[in-house]
Every structure is written in C-alpha cells, then in structure tokens.
C-alpha cells in the first residue's frame, strides 16, 4: 500500500513536472513569438523611417541643385537688367547730346539767317 502510494505520488510528481516543463516550453515559445513580432514591428517602422530619410535626402539634394541654378539665373537676370539700365542711360545721354546739337544748329541757322537778311541785297537779285 505504501509502495503503491509512493508510486502514485511519484507518478503524479512526474506528470506535474512534465506538465510544468511543457508549460515552460510553451511560455518560452510564446515569449519568443512575441519578441519576434515586436522586433518585426519595430523593424518595419525603422525601415520606413530609413526609406523616408533617403527620400528626404534626395529631395534636399534636388532642392540644393535647383536653388543653385535659380541663384545663377537670378544673377544673369540682374546682370541683364544692369546692362539694360546702362543702355538706357547711354540712350538718354545720346538724346541729350542730340538736343544740344539741335539747339546749337538752330542757333547757328538763326544767326546765318539774321546775317543773310541783314546784308544789302545785290542788284541781280
């Protein structure tokens, strides 16, 4: 009887140990699955952040190139406008010079006309 009770007790203990070992393995397996799922979830976020960062880097480089081109084009426009302004000044200078010459020519023409009218008329005319 004692021997039978001892064997039953040992059998139950072995059964509990087996059950405990099975539960431990299940817990380890569940913890491993959870860890892998968390790592995968984090990796997806990290991968998306990396992709976004690469896109941003590419956009920044493109923007820098475009800004540089715009700066060069703006400098060309400024140069053209300054040249145009200089040409307008020169045209204004030529216009003033032409007015001055015109006034001088009118003065000379008036003086010649006055001299011509002031001379006695010849008999042949």
């Amino acid at each position: 009887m004692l021997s039978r009770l001892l064997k039953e007790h040992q059998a139950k203990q072995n059964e509990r140990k087996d059950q405990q070992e099975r539960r431990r393995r299940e817990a380890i397996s569940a913890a491993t699955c959870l860890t892998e799922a968390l790592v995968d979830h984090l990796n997806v976020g990290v991968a998306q952040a990396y992709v976004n960062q690469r896109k941003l880097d590419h956009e920044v480089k493109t923007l820098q190139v475009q800004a540089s081109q715009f700066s060069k084009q703006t400098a060309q426009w400024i140069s053209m406008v300054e040249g145009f302004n200089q040409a307008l000044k020169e045209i204004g200078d030529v216009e003033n010079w032409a007015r001055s010459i015109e006034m001088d020519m009118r003065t000379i023409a008036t003086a010649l006309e006055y001299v011509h009218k002031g001379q006695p008329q010849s008999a042949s005319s």
Side-chain angles (χ1 to χ4, degrees):
M1 166 121 151
L2 229 76
S3 150
R4 190 178 52 127
L5 284 174
L6 182 63
K7 284 183 182 182
E8 285 176 14
H9 176 70
Q10 286 176 345
K12 284 182 182 179
Q13 271 189 337
N14 285 338
E15 189 179 319
R16 281 188 208 130
K17 280 183 183 179
D18 290 343
Q19 190 178 21
Q20 188 176 7
E21 182 63 28
R22 192 176 53 239
R23 286 182 182 165
R24 186 181 69 77
R25 278 187 254 127
E26 288 173 0
I28 289 172
S29 175
T32 301
C33 287
L34 175 64
T35 303
E36 287 175 357
L38 288 173
V39 168
D40 288 345
H41 180 71
L42 287 175
N43 283 342
V44 167
V46 169
Q48 186 62 44
Y50 179 74
V51 167
N52 290 343
Q53 182 63 39
R54 290 198 53 177
K55 285 180 183 177
L56 284 173
D57 289 344
H58 181 268
E59 290 295 323
V60 165
K61 287 178 184 176
T62 302
L63 185 59
Q64 286 174 335
V65 167
Q66 289 175 347
S68 175
Q69 289 173 345
F70 180 70
S71 176
K72 289 176 184 176
Q73 188 174 21
T74 302
Q76 288 175 341
W77 289 345
I78 289 171
S79 176
M80 286 173 57
V81 168
E82 287 174 351
F84 181 70
N85 282 340
Q86 185 61 34
L88 285 177
K89 286 178 186 176
E90 289 173 5
I91 288 173
D93 291 345
V94 169
E95 189 177 353
N96 286 336
W97 175 79
R99 277 195 211 121
S100 176
I101 293 295
E102 183 181 6
M103 291 297 288
D104 289 347
M105 295 301 280
R106 285 187 184 172
T107 303
I108 292 171
T110 303
L112 286 173
E113 201 176 297
Y114 177 76
V115 168
H116 181 64
K117 286 183 182 177
Q119 286 183 351
Q121 302 221 347
S122 62
S124 64
S125 303

